[in-house]
Amino acid sequence: MTFSIEVMAWVSSVPFLIYLSHTQGWKSRLTFFLALVLAWSFVVTKIISDPIPLVLVFLYSIPISLFHLPGYLVWSKFKNQKFALFLFPVIMVIMEWIQYTFTPLASWGVVAYTMHDNVSLTQTVSLFGMAGLSFLIYWVNVSIANIIIKRKISIPTFQLPLFVLLLFIFFGSIRYDMSKANGIDTVTVAAVGTDSEASGLPLPTKERTEQTRTALFKRTRTAAEGGAKIISWNEAAIFIMPEDEKEWINSIKELASELNITLVASYVSPISQSPLRYENKYQFIDSSGNITLTYLKHQPVPGEPAVQGKSPLKVTDVKGTKVGAAICYDYDFPYLAKGYGELGADMVILPSSDWRGIDPVHTEMAAFRAVEQGHSVLRSTRFGLSAAITPYGEMVSQMSSFDDNDKIMYSQLPTKGVITLFSVIQDSFVYLCIGFLLSFMAIASQSKNKSNPTTKDD
């Protein structure tokens, strides 16, 4: 989270595994859990900065620790069984999948993200998603732990994981290099930043709102004059009161039509102030000034007082390019990107709003969705890093809102996406891990029954 030392991911679990192999009893396991919570608390603390309160450390570190706990404890119980080496990575991958598929914690803390700077290894998520890369990292960890504990090297603990790692690097290098071997059709896109710093109460004044609107429209015109055909504003680019929304929508429709652009206009519309509730939304407007989709954020951040969107995902044809859009935290959930993959999206627009603590890792996380599904991502970010990301996870253009700039980022993105294995097989690797776990536990239970036969009295 935020920053990391990539190589440490390959050994970060080793001390914990060694400790569990040398201790027993509930006191040992309680001590282990507290150490795990402490470790994750230090990790989560890195993302805490204004305006996020420090108490949120434990709201993330404790649940993430609980999701990781079964992998360690089950491995320690069955570590001497045949094939137990694979038990740890299998359970860790399953628990990560449960977290980002079924809980509001999304994919924060998934170990695969530690490879965000390694372009070769990042390509492997196009095969099996984050689960495949996470599995390899956890496999290397438990293999190193086994070598230290047993003082013995074996094919499953050394040669095999090393071979798979080299194979992944080779595949990723070839895939990334081949992506640049031929010319492709591109479209000019732009991320337009806002001057608004409003995040809740008190709501901005009408005067301040008008200043924000004027700046947004001016930058949008400049971006269009610079050749941008698809333009996205930041998440919560402006606050629009419900009574002003109809007039507001007409104005942005006229803007898109006048400039002959596709515009993703993201804004917030408060529906109550006590308590604060609002719609965090965008209007997807085509070059004729027609609204093709009104979208409410599908996955509000835990604690965000936003109305949750439920509308089906939709892609719009923009001169042969299928374009969809989501909002910020939505793309921390791989299932939502898979939805756009199933719709054949070539590009996904992602209006976003971060804070200093998660910059730039939040944008780097979005690159994994691009590689998984084979579509480009234009992430227009308030309080963070805007980026244009290719289907290979390459950030071909970047702009930080913390730098002194004109708040307009231009880029060229491919008009077409690419087909990935993961977009076809989806979570099949996770299901394979579930099958392995069930088979392992059934065999282990059967072996235990055979070793402890029961006798009946005559």
Coordinates of all heavy atoms in Angstrom, one line a residue, residues 298-379:
H298 N -21.1 2.3 -8.0 CA -21.6 1.0 -7.6 C -21.0 0.5 -6.2 O -21.7 -0.2 -5.5 CB -21.3 0.0 -8.7 CG -22.4 0.0 -9.8 ND1 -22.8 1.2 -10.3 CD2 -23.0 -1.0 -10.4 CE1 -23.7 0.9 -11.3 NE2 -23.8 -0.5 -11.4
Q299 N -19.8 1.0 -5.9 CA -19.2 0.5 -4.7 C -18.6 1.7 -3.9 O -17.4 2.0 -4.0 CB -18.0 -0.4 -5.0 CG -18.4 -1.8 -5.6 CD -19.0 -2.7 -4.5 OE1 -19.0 -2.4 -3.3 NE2 -19.7 -3.8 -5.0
P300 N -19.5 2.4 -3.2 CA -19.0 3.5 -2.4 C -18.0 3.0 -1.4 O -18.1 1.9 -0.9 CB -20.3 4.0 -1.6 CG -21.4 3.6 -2.5 CD -21.0 2.3 -3.1
V301 N -17.0 3.8 -1.1 CA -16.0 3.5 -0.1 C -16.7 3.3 1.3 O -17.6 4.0 1.6 CB -14.9 4.6 0.0 CG1 -13.9 4.3 1.1 CG2 -14.2 4.8 -1.3
P302 N -16.3 2.3 2.1 CA -16.9 2.1 3.4 C -17.0 3.4 4.2 O -15.9 4.1 4.4 CB -16.0 1.1 4.1 CG -15.5 0.3 3.0 CD -15.3 1.2 1.8
G303 N -18.1 3.8 4.6 CA -18.3 5.1 5.3 C -18.7 6.3 4.4 O -19.1 7.3 4.9
E304 N -18.6 6.1 3.1 CA -19.0 7.2 2.2 C -20.5 7.3 2.1 O -21.2 6.3 1.8 CB -18.4 6.9 0.8 CG -18.8 8.0 -0.2 CD -18.3 7.7 -1.6 OE1 -17.7 6.6 -1.8 OE2 -18.5 8.5 -2.5
P305 N -21.1 8.4 2.4 CA -22.6 8.5 2.4 C -23.2 8.7 1.1 O -24.0 9.6 0.8 CB -22.8 9.8 3.3 CG -21.6 10.7 2.9 CD -20.4 9.7 2.8
A306 N -22.8 7.8 0.2 CA -23.3 7.9 -1.2 C -24.4 6.8 -1.4 O -24.3 5.7 -0.9 CB -22.2 7.7 -2.2
V307 N -25.4 7.1 -2.3 CA -26.4 6.2 -2.7 C -25.7 5.2 -3.6 O -25.1 5.6 -4.6 CB -27.5 6.9 -3.4 CG1 -28.6 5.9 -3.9 CG2 -28.2 7.9 -2.5
Q308 N -25.9 3.9 -3.3 CA -25.2 2.9 -4.1 C -26.0 2.7 -5.4 O -27.2 2.5 -5.5 CB -25.1 1.6 -3.4 CG -24.3 0.5 -4.1 CD -24.1 -0.8 -3.3 OE1 -24.8 -1.0 -2.3 NE2 -23.1 -1.6 -3.7
G309 N -25.2 2.7 -6.5 CA -25.8 2.5 -7.8 C -26.0 1.0 -8.1 O -25.3 0.1 -7.7
K310 N -27.1 0.7 -8.8 CA -27.5 -0.7 -9.1 C -27.7 -0.9 -10.6 O -28.0 -2.0 -11.0 CB -28.8 -1.1 -8.4 CG -28.7 -0.9 -6.9 CD -27.8 -2.0 -6.2 CE -27.9 -1.9 -4.7 NZ -27.1 -3.0 -4.1
S311 N -27.6 0.1 -11.4 CA -27.9 0.0 -12.8 C -26.9 -1.0 -13.5 O -25.7 -1.0 -13.2 CB -27.8 1.4 -13.5 OG -26.5 1.9 -13.4
P312 N -27.4 -1.7 -14.5 CA -26.5 -2.6 -15.3 C -25.4 -1.8 -16.0 O -25.6 -0.6 -16.4 CB -27.4 -3.2 -16.3 CG -28.8 -3.0 -15.8 CD -28.8 -1.7 -15.0
L313 N -24.3 -2.4 -16.2 CA -23.2 -1.8 -16.9 C -23.5 -1.7 -18.4 O -24.3 -2.5 -18.9 CB -21.9 -2.6 -16.7 CG -21.4 -2.8 -15.3 CD1 -20.1 -3.6 -15.3 CD2 -21.2 -1.6 -14.5
K314 N -22.9 -0.7 -19.0 CA -23.2 -0.4 -20.4 C -22.0 0.2 -21.1 O -21.3 0.9 -20.5 CB -24.4 0.6 -20.5 CG -24.8 0.9 -22.0 CD -26.0 1.9 -22.0 CE -26.4 2.2 -23.4 NZ -27.5 3.2 -23.4
V315 N -21.8 -0.2 -22.4 CA -20.7 0.4 -23.2 C -21.4 1.2 -24.3 O -22.5 0.8 -24.8 CB -19.8 -0.7 -23.7 CG1 -19.0 -1.4 -22.6 CG2 -20.5 -1.7 -24.6
T316 N -20.7 2.2 -24.7 CA -21.2 3.1 -25.8 C -20.2 3.0 -26.9 O -19.0 3.1 -26.7 CB -21.3 4.5 -25.3 OG1 -22.3 4.6 -24.2 CG2 -21.8 5.4 -26.4
D317 N -20.7 2.9 -28.1 CA -19.8 2.9 -29.3 C -19.4 4.3 -29.7 O -20.3 5.2 -30.0 CB -20.6 2.2 -30.5 CG -19.6 2.0 -31.7 OD1 -19.3 3.0 -32.4 OD2 -19.2 0.9 -31.9
V318 N -18.1 4.6 -29.6 CA -17.6 5.9 -29.9 C -16.7 5.7 -31.1 O -15.5 5.4 -31.0 CB -16.8 6.5 -28.8 CG1 -16.2 7.9 -29.2 CG2 -17.6 6.6 -27.5
K319 N -17.3 5.9 -32.3 CA -16.6 5.7 -33.6 C -15.8 4.4 -33.7 O -14.6 4.4 -34.0 CB -15.7 6.9 -33.8 CG -16.4 8.2 -33.9 CD -15.5 9.4 -34.2 CE -16.3 10.7 -34.4 NZ -15.4 11.9 -34.7
G320 N -16.5 3.3 -33.3 CA -15.9 2.0 -33.4 C -15.3 1.5 -32.2 O -14.9 0.3 -32.1
T321 N -15.1 2.4 -31.1 CA -14.5 2.0 -29.9 C -15.6 1.8 -28.8 O -16.4 2.7 -28.6 CB -13.5 3.0 -29.4 OG1 -12.5 3.2 -30.4 CG2 -12.8 2.6 -28.1
K322 N -15.6 0.6 -28.2 CA -16.6 0.4 -27.1 C -16.1 1.0 -25.8 O -15.1 0.5 -25.3 CB -16.9 -1.1 -27.0 CG -17.7 -1.7 -28.2 CD -18.0 -3.1 -28.0 CE -18.7 -3.7 -29.2 NZ -19.0 -5.2 -29.0
V323 N -16.8 2.0 -25.3 CA -16.3 2.7 -24.1 C -17.3 2.5 -23.0 O -18.5 2.7 -23.2 CB -16.1 4.2 -24.4 CG1 -15.6 4.9 -23.2 CG2 -15.2 4.4 -25.6
G324 N -16.8 2.2 -21.8 CA -17.6 2.1 -20.6 C -17.0 3.0 -19.6 O -16.0 3.7 -19.8
A325 N -17.6 3.1 -18.4 CA -17.1 4.0 -17.3 C -17.5 3.5 -16.0 O -18.6 2.9 -15.8 CB -17.5 5.4 -17.5
A326 N -16.7 3.7 -15.0 CA -17.0 3.4 -13.6 C -16.5 4.6 -12.7 O -16.0 5.5 -13.3 CB -16.4 2.1 -13.2
I327 N -16.6 4.5 -11.4 CA -16.1 5.6 -10.6 C -15.1 5.0 -9.5 O -15.5 4.2 -8.7 CB -17.3 6.3 -9.9 CG1 -18.2 7.0 -11.0 CG2 -16.7 7.4 -8.9 CD1 -19.4 7.7 -10.4
C328 N -13.9 5.4 -9.6 CA -12.9 5.3 -8.5 C -12.9 3.9 -7.9 O -12.4 2.9 -8.4 CB -13.1 6.4 -7.5 SG -11.6 6.6 -6.4
Y329 N -13.4 3.8 -6.7 CA -13.3 2.6 -5.8 C -14.0 1.4 -6.5 O -13.6 0.2 -6.2 CB -14.0 2.8 -4.5 CG -13.7 1.8 -3.4 CD1 -12.4 1.6 -2.9 CD2 -14.7 1.1 -2.8 CE1 -12.2 0.7 -1.9 CE2 -14.5 0.2 -1.7 CZ -13.2 0.0 -1.3 OH -12.9 -0.8 -0.3
D330 N -14.9 1.6 -7.5 CA -15.5 0.5 -8.3 C -14.4 -0.4 -8.9 O -14.6 -1.6 -8.9 CB -16.3 1.1 -9.4 CG -17.6 1.8 -8.9 OD1 -18.0 1.6 -7.8 OD2 -18.2 2.5 -9.7
Y331 N -13.3 0.2 -9.3 CA -12.3 -0.6 -10.0 C -11.3 -1.3 -9.1 O -10.3 -1.9 -9.6 CB -11.6 0.2 -11.1 CG -12.0 -0.3 -12.5 CD1 -13.4 -0.6 -12.8 CD2 -11.1 -0.5 -13.5 CE1 -13.7 -1.0 -14.0 CE2 -11.4 -1.0 -14.7 CZ -12.8 -1.3 -15.0 OH -13.1 -1.8 -16.2
D332 N -11.6 -1.2 -7.8 CA -10.8 -2.1 -6.9 C -11.5 -3.4 -6.8 O -10.9 -4.3 -6.1 CB -10.8 -1.4 -5.5 CG -10.0 -0.1 -5.5 OD1 -9.5 0.3 -6.5 OD2 -10.0 0.6 -4.4
F333 N -12.6 -3.6 -7.4 CA -13.3 -4.9 -7.4 C -13.2 -5.5 -8.8 O -13.8 -5.0 -9.8 CB -14.8 -4.6 -7.1 CG -15.1 -4.1 -5.7 CD1 -15.0 -2.8 -5.4 CD2 -15.4 -5.0 -4.7 CE1 -15.2 -2.3 -4.2 CE2 -15.6 -4.6 -3.4 CZ -15.5 -3.2 -3.1
P334 N -12.4 -6.6 -9.0 CA -12.2 -7.2 -10.3 C -13.5 -7.6 -10.9 O -13.6 -7.7 -12.2 CB -11.4 -8.4 -9.9 CG -10.6 -8.0 -8.7 CD -11.5 -7.2 -7.9
Y335 N -14.6 -8.0 -10.2 CA -15.8 -8.4 -10.8 C -16.4 -7.3 -11.7 O -17.1 -7.6 -12.7 CB -16.8 -8.8 -9.7 CG -17.7 -7.7 -9.1 CD1 -18.9 -7.3 -9.7 CD2 -17.3 -7.0 -7.9 CE1 -19.6 -6.2 -9.2 CE2 -18.0 -6.0 -7.4 CZ -19.2 -5.6 -8.0 OH -19.9 -4.6 -7.5
L336 N -16.3 -6.1 -11.3 CA -16.9 -5.0 -12.1 C -16.1 -4.8 -13.4 O -16.8 -4.6 -14.4 CB -16.8 -3.7 -11.3 CG -17.9 -2.7 -11.7 CD1 -18.4 -1.9 -10.5 CD2 -17.3 -1.7 -12.7
A337 N -14.8 -4.9 -13.4 CA -14.0 -4.9 -14.6 C -14.4 -6.1 -15.5 O -14.4 -6.0 -16.7 CB -12.5 -4.9 -14.3
K338 N -14.7 -7.2 -14.9 CA -15.1 -8.4 -15.6 C -16.4 -8.2 -16.3 O -16.6 -8.6 -17.5 CB -15.2 -9.6 -14.7 CG -13.9 -10.3 -14.4 CD -14.0 -11.6 -13.6 CE -14.4 -11.4 -12.2 NZ -14.4 -12.6 -11.4
G339 N -17.3 -7.4 -15.7 CA -18.5 -7.0 -16.3 C -18.3 -6.3 -17.6 O -19.0 -6.5 -18.6
Y340 N -17.4 -5.3 -17.6 CA -17.0 -4.6 -18.8 C -16.3 -5.5 -19.8 O -16.4 -5.3 -21.0 CB -16.2 -3.4 -18.5 CG -17.1 -2.2 -18.1 CD1 -16.9 -1.6 -16.8 CD2 -18.1 -1.7 -18.9 CE1 -17.7 -0.5 -16.5 CE2 -18.9 -0.7 -18.6 CZ -18.7 -0.1 -17.3 OH -19.5 0.9 -16.9
G341 N -15.5 -6.5 -19.3 CA -14.9 -7.4 -20.2 C -15.9 -8.2 -21.0 O -15.8 -8.5 -22.2
E342 N -17.0 -8.6 -20.3 CA -18.0 -9.4 -20.9 C -18.8 -8.6 -22.0 O -19.4 -9.2 -22.9 CB -19.0 -10.0 -19.9 CG -18.3 -11.0 -19.0 CD -19.2 -11.3 -17.7 OE1 -20.2 -10.7 -17.6 OE2 -18.8 -12.3 -17.0
L343 N -18.8 -7.3 -21.8 CA -19.5 -6.4 -22.7 C -18.6 -6.0 -23.9 O -19.0 -5.3 -24.8 CB -20.0 -5.1 -22.0 CG -21.1 -5.3 -21.0 CD1 -21.3 -4.0 -20.3 CD2 -22.4 -5.8 -21.7
G344 N -17.3 -6.5 -23.9 CA -16.4 -6.3 -24.9 C -15.8 -4.9 -24.9 O -15.5 -4.3 -26.0
A345 N -15.7 -4.2 -23.8 CA -15.2 -2.9 -23.7 C -13.8 -2.8 -24.2 O -12.9 -3.6 -23.9 CB -15.3 -2.3 -22.3
D346 N -13.5 -1.7 -25.0 CA -12.1 -1.5 -25.5 C -11.5 -0.5 -24.5 O -10.2 -0.4 -24.5 CB -12.2 -0.9 -26.9 CG -12.8 -1.8 -27.9 OD1 -12.3 -3.0 -28.0 OD2 -13.7 -1.4 -28.6
M347 N -12.3 0.3 -23.9 CA -11.8 1.4 -23.0 C -12.7 1.6 -21.9 O -14.0 1.6 -22.1 CB -11.5 2.7 -23.8 CG -10.9 3.8 -23.0 SD -10.9 5.4 -24.0 CE -9.9 4.8 -25.4
V348 N -12.2 1.9 -20.7 CA -13.1 2.2 -19.5 C -12.6 3.5 -18.9 O -11.4 3.7 -18.6 CB -13.1 1.1 -18.4 CG1 -13.8 1.6 -17.2 CG2 -13.7 -0.2 -19.0
I349 N -13.5 4.5 -18.8 CA -13.2 5.8 -18.2 C -13.4 5.7 -16.7 O -14.4 5.1 -16.3 CB -14.1 6.9 -18.8 CG1 -14.1 6.8 -20.3 CG2 -13.6 8.3 -18.3 CD1 -12.7 7.0 -21.0
L350 N -12.5 6.3 -15.9 CA -12.6 6.1 -14.5 C -12.4 7.4 -13.7 O -11.3 7.7 -13.2 CB -11.5 5.1 -14.1 CG -11.7 4.4 -12.7 CD1 -13.0 3.6 -12.7 CD2 -10.5 3.5 -12.4
P351 N -13.5 8.2 -13.6 CA -13.3 9.4 -12.8 C -13.1 9.0 -11.4 O -13.7 8.1 -10.8 CB -14.7 10.1 -12.9 CG -15.4 9.4 -14.1 CD -14.8 8.1 -14.2
S352 N -12.1 9.6 -10.7 CA -11.6 9.2 -9.4 C -11.3 10.4 -8.5 O -11.0 11.5 -9.0 CB -10.4 8.3 -9.6 OG -10.7 7.2 -10.4
S353 N -11.2 10.1 -7.2 CA -10.8 11.1 -6.2 C -10.1 10.3 -5.1 O -10.7 9.5 -4.4 CB -12.0 11.8 -5.7 OG -11.6 12.8 -4.8
D354 N -8.8 10.6 -4.9 CA -8.0 9.9 -3.9 C -7.7 10.8 -2.8 O -8.3 11.9 -2.6 CB -6.7 9.3 -4.6 CG -7.1 8.2 -5.6 OD1 -8.1 7.6 -5.5 OD2 -6.2 8.0 -6.5
W355 N -6.7 10.4 -2.0 CA -6.0 11.3 -1.0 C -4.6 11.0 -1.0 O -4.1 10.0 -1.6 CB -6.7 11.2 0.3 CG -6.5 9.9 1.0 CD1 -5.5 9.4 1.8 CD2 -7.5 8.8 1.0 NE1 -5.7 8.2 2.3 CE2 -6.9 7.7 1.8 CE3 -8.7 8.6 0.3 CZ2 -7.6 6.5 1.9 CZ3 -9.4 7.4 0.5 CH2 -8.8 6.4 1.3
R356 N -3.8 11.8 -0.4 CA -2.3 11.7 -0.5 C -1.8 10.3 -0.1 O -0.9 9.8 -0.7 CB -1.6 12.8 0.4 CG -0.2 13.1 0.0 CD 0.0 13.3 -1.4 NE 1.3 13.9 -1.8 CZ 1.9 13.8 -2.9 NH1 1.4 13.0 -3.9 NH2 3.1 14.4 -3.2
G357 N -2.5 9.7 0.9 CA -2.0 8.5 1.4 C -2.0 7.3 0.4 O -1.2 6.4 0.5
I358 N -3.0 7.3 -0.5 CA -3.1 6.2 -1.5 C -2.6 6.6 -2.9 O -2.9 5.9 -3.8 CB -4.6 5.7 -1.5 CG1 -5.5 6.8 -2.0 CG2 -5.0 5.1 -0.2 CD1 -6.9 6.3 -2.3
D359 N -1.9 7.7 -2.9 CA -1.3 8.1 -4.2 C 0.1 7.7 -4.3 O 0.9 8.0 -3.3 CB -1.4 9.7 -4.3 CG -0.8 10.2 -5.5 OD1 -1.1 9.8 -6.6 OD2 0.1 11.1 -5.4
P360 N 0.6 7.0 -5.3 CA -0.1 6.7 -6.6 C -0.6 5.3 -6.7 O -1.1 4.9 -7.7 CB 1.0 6.9 -7.6 CG 2.2 6.4 -6.9 CD 2.1 6.8 -5.5
V361 N -0.6 4.5 -5.6 CA -0.9 3.1 -5.7 C -2.3 2.8 -6.1 O -2.5 1.8 -6.8 CB -0.6 2.4 -4.3 CG1 -1.7 2.8 -3.3 CG2 -0.6 0.9 -4.5
H362 N -3.2 3.7 -5.9 CA -4.6 3.5 -6.3 C -4.7 3.5 -7.8 O -5.5 2.7 -8.4 CB -5.5 4.5 -5.7 CG -6.9 4.0 -5.5 ND1 -8.0 4.9 -5.2 CD2 -7.5 2.8 -5.6 CE1 -9.1 4.1 -5.1 NE2 -8.8 2.9 -5.3
T363 N -4.0 4.4 -8.4 CA -4.0 4.4 -9.9 C -3.3 3.1 -10.4 O -3.7 2.6 -11.4 CB -3.3 5.7 -10.4 OG1 -4.0 6.8 -9.9 CG2 -3.3 5.7 -11.9
E364 N -2.2 2.7 -9.8 CA -1.5 1.5 -10.2 C -2.3 0.3 -10.0 O -2.2 -0.7 -10.8 CB -0.2 1.4 -9.4 CG 0.8 2.5 -9.7 CD 1.9 2.7 -8.6 OE1 1.8 2.2 -7.5 OE2 3.0 3.3 -9.0
M365 N -3.2 0.3 -9.1 CA -4.1 -0.9 -8.9 C -5.1 -1.0 -10.1 O -5.4 -2.1 -10.6 CB -4.9 -0.7 -7.6 CG -4.1 -1.0 -6.4 SD -4.9 -0.4 -4.8 CE -6.4 -1.4 -4.8
A366 N -5.5 0.2 -10.6 CA -6.4 0.2 -11.8 C -5.7 -0.4 -13.0 O -6.4 -1.0 -13.9 CB -6.8 1.6 -12.1
A367 N -4.4 -0.3 -13.1 CA -3.7 -0.9 -14.2 C -3.8 -2.4 -14.3 O -3.8 -3.0 -15.4 CB -2.2 -0.6 -14.1
F368 N -4.0 -3.1 -13.1 CA -4.2 -4.5 -13.1 C -5.6 -4.9 -13.7 O -5.7 -5.9 -14.4 CB -4.2 -5.0 -11.6 CG -2.8 -5.2 -11.1 CD1 -2.0 -4.1 -10.8 CD2 -2.3 -6.5 -10.8 CE1 -0.7 -4.3 -10.3 CE2 -1.1 -6.7 -10.3 CZ -0.3 -5.6 -10.1
R369 N -6.6 -4.0 -13.6 CA -7.9 -4.3 -14.2 C -7.7 -4.2 -15.8 O -8.3 -5.0 -16.5 CB -8.9 -3.3 -13.8 CG -9.2 -3.1 -12.3 CD -9.9 -4.3 -11.7 NE -8.9 -5.3 -11.3 CZ -8.2 -5.3 -10.2 NH1 -8.3 -4.2 -9.4 NH2 -7.3 -6.2 -9.9
A370 N -6.9 -3.3 -16.2 CA -6.6 -3.1 -17.6 C -6.0 -4.4 -18.2 O -6.4 -4.9 -19.3 CB -5.8 -1.9 -17.9
V371 N -5.0 -4.9 -17.5 CA -4.3 -6.1 -18.0 C -5.2 -7.3 -17.9 O -5.2 -8.2 -18.8 CB -3.0 -6.3 -17.2 CG1 -2.3 -7.6 -17.7 CG2 -2.1 -5.1 -17.3
E372 N -6.0 -7.4 -16.9 CA -6.8 -8.6 -16.7 C -7.8 -8.7 -17.8 O -8.0 -9.8 -18.4 CB -7.6 -8.5 -15.4 CG -6.8 -8.7 -14.1 CD -7.6 -8.3 -12.9 OE1 -8.7 -7.7 -13.0 OE2 -7.1 -8.5 -11.8
Q373 N -8.5 -7.6 -18.2 CA -9.6 -7.6 -19.1 C -9.2 -7.2 -20.5 O -9.9 -7.3 -21.5 CB -10.7 -6.8 -18.7 CG -11.3 -7.2 -17.3 CD -11.9 -8.6 -17.4 OE1 -12.4 -9.1 -18.5 NE2 -11.8 -9.4 -16.4
G374 N -7.9 -6.7 -20.7 CA -7.5 -6.3 -22.0 C -8.1 -5.0 -22.6 O -8.2 -4.9 -23.8
H375 N -8.5 -4.1 -21.7 CA -9.0 -2.8 -22.2 C -8.2 -1.7 -21.6 O -7.5 -1.8 -20.5 CB -10.5 -2.6 -21.9 CG -10.8 -2.7 -20.4 ND1 -11.8 -3.6 -19.9 CD2 -10.4 -2.1 -19.3 CE1 -11.9 -3.5 -18.6 NE2 -11.1 -2.5 -18.2
S376 N -8.2 -0.5 -22.3 CA -7.5 0.7 -21.8 C -8.3 1.3 -20.6 O -9.5 1.1 -20.5 CB -7.3 1.7 -22.9 OG -6.6 1.2 -23.9
V377 N -7.6 2.1 -19.8 CA -8.3 2.8 -18.7 C -7.8 4.2 -18.7 O -6.6 4.5 -18.8 CB -7.9 2.1 -17.3 CG1 -8.5 3.0 -16.2 CG2 -8.6 0.7 -17.2
L378 N -8.7 5.2 -18.7 CA -8.4 6.6 -18.5 C -8.9 6.9 -17.1 O -10.1 7.0 -16.9 CB -9.1 7.4 -19.6 CG -8.9 9.0 -19.4 CD1 -7.5 9.4 -19.5 CD2 -9.8 9.7 -20.4
R379 N -7.9 7.1 -16.2 CA -8.3 7.4 -14.8 C -8.0 8.9 -14.6 O -6.8 9.4 -14.5 CB -7.4 6.6 -13.9 CG -8.0 6.6 -12.4 CD -7.2 5.6 -11.5 NE -7.9 5.4 -10.3 CZ -7.7 6.0 -9.1 NH1 -6.8 7.0 -9.1 NH2 -8.4 5.8 -8.1

